């Protein structure tokens, strides 16, 4: 009776959903499957063994349909056949109830047969799941660091490469995330062990417990490691022992936290021609969440009195109206030719009248403003007149720039104009420059060239990745190039002197419609070099924990507007954005082994499920921009107000169900090796295991390579290894760059949403990571910085 009632309930739900899905033009399977369940359940309730055989036939038909639809793909088969197979066990266990007393002893045979069915199904499923992921098994003042800059700051053209040190975020100004160190190899990495760790002490208060995402990559110069915490505490430690040398706390308040408390890194600068005994001869520069640019003595941790006002420059000067948390700095300055180039994160989706996206260059010694690039005033490079702000609402640079000190260019990856999902009110210069890479002459503050990766961006496809500069292997010798990864998965390769593509970029026709068809771009730029985006979604790609939630996702897919990439935003029904705004590539960027010519990209593969909300309805729901007090927490979880436009936006990032699982099938994260010269894929593997993932946030503990969402970047070394964390399973991995096979991994105490770095001290190579966790990725928050090395001697 219990089994019969269960089948009837499931039959009603699946049958009704099947009727809805057919009406939407979807799969025909669910209606007859629901009828089969209803018949089987009704017969069981009437005491007829025919119910067992009806269900068995339905189950067999389900197997055939599943294999027809998705083949032998284990992750795709799981929601289609696993739950029906479990139910089959219970149905078969009812057989003894239909036999006479003399034959009920035969029930044991039924039990054995049922267990055999389950074992075969589980073995089949596990075989296909694991076959898709085999690569986944597996205080006092310190000594003065010597100045690293020899010429005068204004004429210094040296590139500060990683090697013995890690002197710049990204390894060097070029942003390759590559080290020439080769002590640790695939042959000995199994011996790698933790040698020290320390705590920053910066953990979230109650008010900020759901807003911490440190994302920090430390620097190391001359035996001293410099790190910053989520709320901008700068700490120097001995690079060999992890012993704290000094710390500087700028006292950032919780209300300054924008989307997340983040400090991706700091910058190091050595004053040229100055005695190392002079105060602030070497200095650390940091941008803060409350919009200050601070210079600290690298030897003592004291503010540099000659910089700005006693070591501080107020970055809100000229910004105009703002409130805490709206205008923040989360990335390190990029210092080139003595100029510290600083952008800012303007909190997404708040209002069209947002603070400016101006990018500014400050003298790294005095803190004096050298120039300001305000795209609304292209002929002006100085601060605006008293009482006038920089142009409001312009695209900003929230991530990290790269630079070519020899050319004197700094390369700015720009975001979107305010707001992200509505663009009718944008100005012509905003439409020309949103989601572009812009080369600025650091000596003048004037743009040299720009290349746009998305025309009239309505999908939050801002450039989150730091670009990477390489000498690109070409037929007639090497060409100074810039590699630009993108959230939509396209990887562009440009001449970094001129901005001209080195590989053809095709303008392809894209979907039209939505709420602003007259302003949409009819084409978008596609790279012929390499791309990380996957084929368009279909109803067959829908997933879930069981046939019920997969059916629900199929119905939602059919209800939504989806015409492939660049489906325009809609208000009358949801629209699917694929890839979602986490990429493709995001702020973790790529790494390039410049010696062997291999590019490494970890990336996400998930859609967003979005919908515009009319202004009147948005007001009734409680949407408010940050300058008007902000939306309540439950409304913030829905989306953003986009004040000043006719619509708010509801965003389901990753298209998640109430169970926490996603509506699209795994893998959700990959890591790929690409031949630098040709752009051809060398290998591509699912990235991340299911150990910390599961329905309703319950860890499954299954070491299966599901390919998890990931945030953070790769480190590549001359030892032939990729070191990377980033995934939601809280692991640091070493991957063989030749094969994609994981050759070592370590469990981290918190989420690894950051990028590791490496250096050498006293002849010993260290791998360092700051696993701080991430609120958006729902990983555990922590405050440790951890160093690994081979055993001494």
């Amino acid at each position: 009776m219990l089994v019969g009632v269960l089948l009837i309930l499931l039959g009603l739900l699946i049958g009704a959903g099947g009727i809805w899905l057919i009406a939407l033009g979807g799969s025909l399977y669910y209606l007859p499957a629901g009828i089969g369940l209803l018949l089987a359940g009704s017969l069981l309730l009437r005491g007829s063994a025919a119910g067992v055989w009806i269900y068995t036939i339905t189950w067999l038909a389900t197997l055939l349909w599943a294999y027809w639809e998705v083949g032998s793909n284990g992750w795709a088969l799981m929601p289609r056949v696993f739950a029906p197979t479990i139910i089959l066990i219970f149905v078969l266990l009812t057989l003894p109830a239909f036999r006479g007393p003399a034959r009920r002893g035969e029930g044991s045979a039924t039990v054995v047969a049922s267990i055999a069915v389950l074992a075969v199904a589980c073995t089949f499923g596990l075989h296909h799941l694991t076959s898709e992921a085999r690569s986944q098994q597996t205080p006092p003042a310190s000594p003065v660091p010597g100045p690293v800059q020899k010429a005068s700051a204004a004429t210094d053209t040296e590139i500060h490469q990683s090697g013995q040190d890690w002197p710049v975020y990204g390894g060097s100004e070029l942003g390759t995330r590559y080290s020439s160190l080769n002590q640790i190899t695939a042959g000995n990495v199994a011996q790698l062990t933790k040698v020290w760790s320390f705590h920053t002490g910066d953990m979230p208060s109650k008010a900020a417990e759901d807003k911490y995402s440190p994302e920090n990559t430390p620097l190391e110069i001359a035996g001293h490691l410099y790190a910053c915490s989520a709320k901008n505490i700068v700490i120097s430690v001995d690079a060999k022992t992890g012993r704290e040398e000094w710390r500087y706390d700028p006292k950032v308040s919780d209300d300054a936290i924008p989307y997340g408390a983040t400090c991706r890194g700091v910058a190091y600068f050595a004053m040229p021609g100055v005695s190392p005994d002079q105060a602030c001869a070497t200095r650390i520069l940091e941008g803060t969440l409350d919009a200050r640019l601070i210079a600290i003595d690298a030897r003592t941790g004291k503010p540099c009195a000659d910089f700005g006002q006693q070591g501080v420059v107020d970055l809100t000067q000229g910004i105009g109206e703002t409130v805490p948390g709206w205008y923040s700095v989360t990335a390190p300055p990029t210092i080139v030719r003595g100029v510290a180039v600083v952008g800012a994160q303007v909190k997404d989706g708040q209002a069209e009248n947002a603070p400016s996206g101006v990018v500014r260059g400050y003298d790294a010694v005095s803190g004096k403003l050298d120039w300001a690039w305000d795209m609304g005033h292209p002929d002006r490079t100085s601060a605006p007149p008293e009482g006038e702000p920089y142009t409001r609402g312009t695209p900003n640079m929230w991530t990290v720039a790269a630079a070519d000190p020899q050319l004197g260019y700094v390369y700015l990856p720009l975001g979107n104009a305010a707001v992200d999902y509505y663009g009718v009110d944008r100005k012509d210069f905003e439409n020309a420059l949103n989601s572009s890479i812009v080369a600025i002459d650091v000596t003048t503050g004037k743009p040299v060239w720009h290349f746009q990766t998305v025309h009239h961006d309505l999908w939050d496809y801002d450039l989150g990745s730091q670009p990477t500069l390489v000498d690109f292997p070409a037929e007639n010798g090497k060409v100074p190039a810039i590699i630009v990864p993108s959230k939509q998965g396209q990887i562009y390769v440009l001449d970094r002197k001129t901005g001209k593509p080195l590989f053809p970029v095709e303008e392809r026709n894209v979907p039209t419609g939505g709420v602003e068809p007259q302003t949409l771009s009819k084409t978008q730029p596609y790279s012929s070099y390499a791309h990380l985006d996957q084929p368009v979604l279909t109803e067959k790609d829908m997933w879930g924990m069981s046939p019920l939630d997969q059916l629900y996702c199929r119905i939602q897919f059919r209800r939504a507007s989806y015409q492939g990439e660049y489906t325009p935003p809609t208000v009358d029904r949801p629209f699917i954005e694929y890839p979602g705004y986490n990429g493709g590539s995001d702020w973790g960027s790529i790494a390039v082994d410049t010696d062997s010519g291999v590019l490494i990209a970890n990336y996400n593969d998930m859609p967003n499920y979005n919908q515009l909300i009319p202004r009147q309805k948005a007001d009734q729901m409680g949407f408010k921009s940050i300058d008007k007090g902000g939306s309540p927490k439950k409304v913030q979880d829905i989306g953003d107000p986009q004040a000043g436009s006719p619509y708010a936006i509801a965003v389901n990032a990753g298209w998640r169900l109430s169970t926490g699982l996603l509506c699209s099938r795994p893998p959700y994260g990959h890591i790929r090796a690409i031949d630098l010269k040709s752009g051809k894929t060398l290998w591509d593997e699912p990235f991340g295991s299911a150990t910390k993932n599961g329905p309703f946030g319950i860890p499954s503990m299954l070491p299966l390579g599901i390919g998890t969402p990931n945030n953070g970047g790769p480190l590549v070394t001359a030892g032939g290894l990729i070191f990377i964390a980033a995934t939601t399973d809280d692991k640091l991995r070493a991957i063989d760059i030749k094969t994609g096979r994981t050759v070592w991994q370590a469990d981290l105490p918190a989420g690894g949403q950051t990028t590791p770095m490496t250096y050498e001290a006293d002849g010993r190579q260290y791998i360092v990571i700051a696993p701080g966790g991430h609120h958006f990725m729902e990983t555990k928050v922590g405050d440790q910085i951890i160093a690994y090395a081979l055993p001494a001697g």
Side-chain angles (χ1 to χ4, degrees):
M1 289 182 64
L2 289 174
V3 174
V5 169
L6 173 64
L7 293 182
I8 288 173
L9 289 175
L10 290 174
L12 288 171
L13 291 171
I14 290 176
I19 293 172
W20 191 1
L21 186 58
I22 290 172
L24 293 169
S27 172
L28 302 177
Y29 159 77
Y30 290 90
L31 177 57
I35 293 171
L37 290 171
L38 283 169
L39 284 174
S42 299
L43 288 168
L44 288 177
L45 283 179
R46 291 170 57 188
S48 172
V52 175
W53 311 121
I54 293 292
Y55 182 82
T56 302
I57 292 169
T58 303
W59 177 78
L60 289 170
T62 296
L63 291 185
L64 292 173
W65 164 77
Y67 188 81
W68 169 80
E69 192 170 55
V70 297
S72 60
N73 183 300
W75 287 117
L77 285 172
M78 189 182 76
R80 291 168 169 84
V81 303
F82 185 75
T85 301
I86 296 297
I87 294 172
L88 176 66
I89 305 302
F90 288 98
V91 171
L92 292 176
L93 288 173
T94 67
L95 278 174
F98 299 107
R99 296 188 175 127
R103 300 184 59 191
R104 282 180 183 164
E106 298 174 10
S108 59
T110 304
V111 174
V112 171
S114 301
I115 293 173
V117 170
L118 178 60
V120 169
C122 290
T123 302
F124 175 79
L126 286 173
H127 168 74
H128 287 286
L129 294 176
T130 54
S131 67
E132 292 167 10
R134 284 174 184 144
S135 66
Q136 299 297 319
Q137 306 297 319
T138 54
S142 56
V144 180
V148 296
Q149 292 175 276
K150 310 296 191 298
S152 69
T155 60
D156 178 25
T157 60
E158 181 182 356
I159 298 171
H160 304 98
Q161 296 280 13
S162 61
Q164 182 171 339
D165 293 330
W166 191 267
V168 184
Y169 182 93
S172 74
E173 292 90 345
L174 307 180
T176 59
R177 273 159 286 282
Y178 173 71
S179 171
S180 58
L181 297 180
N182 60 7
Q183 185 180 97
I184 303 170
T185 67
N188 61 23
V189 70
Q191 304 172 49
L192 203 64
T193 186
K194 185 169 86 170
V195 292
W196 60 254
S197 66
F198 78 89
H199 293 264
T200 68
D202 187 354
M203 292 291 284
S205 66
K206 185 70 174 175
E209 62 185 358
D210 60 347
K211 298 184 71 174
Y212 258 47
S213 47
E215 302 177 7
N216 180 247
T217 299
L219 304 183
E220 188 280 340
I221 300 98
H224 305 278
L225 185 139
Y226 303 99
C228 60
S229 72
K231 289 204 303 181
N232 301 117
I233 301 171
V234 182
I235 305 167
S236 172
V237 304
D238 185 302
K240 296 187 292 292
T241 66
R243 179 183 61 86
E244 184 173 320
E245 297 167 333
W246 55 257
R247 67 172 50 213
Y248 173 80
D249 187 351
K251 305 295 184 184
V252 172
S253 65
D254 284 345
D255 64 358
I257 298 173
Y259 175 68
T262 298
C263 181
R264 291 190 189 90
V266 297
Y268 176 88
F269 181 73
M271 293 172 60
V274 171
S275 167
D277 295 325
Q278 178 176 319
C280 288
T282 55
R283 56 185 63 193
I284 300 297
L285 270 66
E286 175 192 44
T288 64
L289 297 175
D290 55 6
R292 289 177 283 167
L293 179 62
I294 299 174
I296 307 161
D297 192 321
R299 181 172 65 96
T300 65
K302 304 295 184 184
C304 296
D306 59 349
F307 184 88
Q309 299 295 316
Q310 297 300 307
V312 178
V313 170
D314 180 4
L315 295 176
T316 64
Q317 292 180 346
I319 293 301
E321 180 188 356
T322 187
V323 294
W326 203 358
Y327 187 85
S328 306
V329 180
T330 57
T334 298
I335 302 177
V336 57
R337 296 199 181 186
V339 178
V341 179
V342 183
Q345 175 183 342
V346 180
K347 188 175 181 181
D348 274 355
Q350 298 304 299
E352 290 186 334
N353 187 36
S356 177
V358 62
V359 178
R360 289 171 282 189
Y362 293 89
D363 187 291
V365 176
S366 68
K368 176 181 173 292
L369 179 68
D370 277 354
W371 50 260
W373 180 56
D374 176 1
M375 66 179 67
H377 294 278
D379 298 326
R380 185 176 71 197
T381 58
S382 60
E386 186 72 27
E388 179 184 330
Y390 295 108
T391 308
R392 295 183 69 82
T394 53
N396 63 79
M397 182 187 74
W398 57 266
T399 189
V400 186
D404 184 337
Q406 295 172 345
L407 282 177
Y409 292 173
V410 62
Y411 301 92
L412 314 179
L414 294 187
N416 216 342
V419 289
D420 286 315
Y421 296 93
Y422 184 77
V424 170
D425 300 329
R426 293 177 189 166
K427 304 174 183 67
D428 288 344
F429 60 81
E430 292 173 331
N431 276 323
L433 292 167
N434 73 262
S435 305
S436 293
I437 191 80
V438 180
I440 299 286
D441 186 330
V442 78
T443 64
T444 65
K446 292 280 191 179
V448 181
W449 58 260
H450 78 275
F451 176 86
Q452 190 168 57
T453 62
V454 185
H455 308 318
H456 197 72
D457 184 357
L458 297 177
W459 304 272
D460 198 10
Y461 283 160
D462 48 4
L463 287 174
S465 297
Q466 181 188 28
T468 296
L469 312 186
V470 299
D471 291 331
F472 199 88
E475 296 299 328
N476 299 319
K478 294 189 174 181
V479 178
I482 179 170
I483 303 173
V484 184
S486 67
K487 288 184 175 182
Q488 64 272 28
Q490 301 297 312
I491 300 177
Y492 305 94
V493 183
L494 316 172
D495 185 316
R496 68 176 183 256
K497 292 181 180 179
T498 65
K500 301 296 183 184
L502 296 182
F503 289 78
V505 174
E506 178 188 357
E507 290 287 341
R508 297 183 191 170
N509 291 329
V510 293
T512 58
V515 298
E516 48 178 294
Q518 72 282 5
T519 57
L520 282 174
S521 175
K522 292 182 173 59
T523 64
Q524 294 291 350
Y526 284 78
S527 172
S528 64
Y529 173 68
H531 62 89
L532 305 173
D533 56 320
Q534 304 295 313
V536 296
L537 290 174
T538 69
E539 184 193 318
K540 296 178 183 179
D541 295 315
M542 298 302 99
W543 205 63
M545 187 169 59
S546 70
L548 282 175
D549 44 358
Q550 190 194 49
L551 172 59
Y552 174 79
C553 289
R554 286 174 180 261
I555 291 169
Q556 295 306 303
F557 177 83
R558 289 291 180 177
R559 285 186 60 238
S561 171
Y562 180 60
Q563 306 170 58
E565 289 181 330
Y566 302 105
T567 295
T570 49
V571 67
D572 57 325
R573 56 178 172 154
F575 68 97
I576 296 172
E577 175 190 348
Y578 181 60
Y581 63 37
N582 281 100
S585 296
D586 203 355
W587 56 266
S589 312
I590 61 171
V592 176
D593 182 335
T594 51
D595 289 338
S596 64
V598 178
L599 183 156
I600 300 298
N602 57 296
Y603 62 99
N604 288 306
D605 181 17
M606 300 171 293
N608 284 5
Y609 197 77
N610 306 335
Q611 186 168 5
L612 295 170
I613 304 172
R615 178 58 52 201
Q616 183 177 359
K617 182 178 178 181
D619 291 342
Q620 293 170 352
M621 293 172 65
F623 277 98
K624 289 183 180 179
S625 58
I626 190 172
D627 58 319
K628 305 300 183 185
S631 305
K633 177 64 168 62
K634 65 178 182 179
V635 178
Q636 290 182 36
D637 291 341
I638 295 172
D640 296 320
Q642 300 199 135
S645 79
Y647 308 102
I649 181 69
V651 176
N652 183 343
W655 191 0
R656 299 179 68 179
L657 294 158
S658 58
T659 60
L661 299 181
L662 278 62
C663 257
S664 60
R665 75 185 186 194
Y668 305 121
H670 300 252
I671 185 165
R672 181 182 296 187
I674 296 171
D675 178 72
L676 180 64
K677 184 175 182 179
S678 66
K680 294 181 179 178
T681 296
L682 301 175
W683 51 259
D684 189 303
E685 297 289 343
F687 181 41
S689 69
T691 53
K692 296 290 181 75
N693 299 92
F696 306 104
I698 302 170
S700 72
M701 308 308 293
L702 296 173
L704 302 175
I706 193 171
T708 73
N710 59 94
N711 252 334
L715 159 70
V716 178
T717 71
L721 292 174
I722 306 159
F723 288 95
I724 186 167
T727 55
T728 57
D729 57 6
D730 302 349
K731 294 182 185 298
L732 172 64
R733 291 174 169 84
I735 299 172
D736 188 323
I737 196 170
K738 293 180 180 178
T739 65
R741 185 172 64 91
T742 297
V743 291
W744 172 86
Q745 64 184 26
D747 291 322
L748 297 172
Q753 284 68 54
T754 184
T755 304
M757 48 81 79
T758 187
Y759 58 89
E760 183 179 280
D762 288 347
R764 193 180 190 191
Q765 183 180 355
Y766 294 78
I767 305 294
V768 171
I769 188 168
H774 203 284
H775 66 99
F776 176 73
M777 302 296 287
E778 298 180 4
T779 55
K780 181 182 177 183
V781 171
D783 69 337
Q784 286 192 61
I785 297 179
I786 304 171
Y788 300 86
L790 296 175

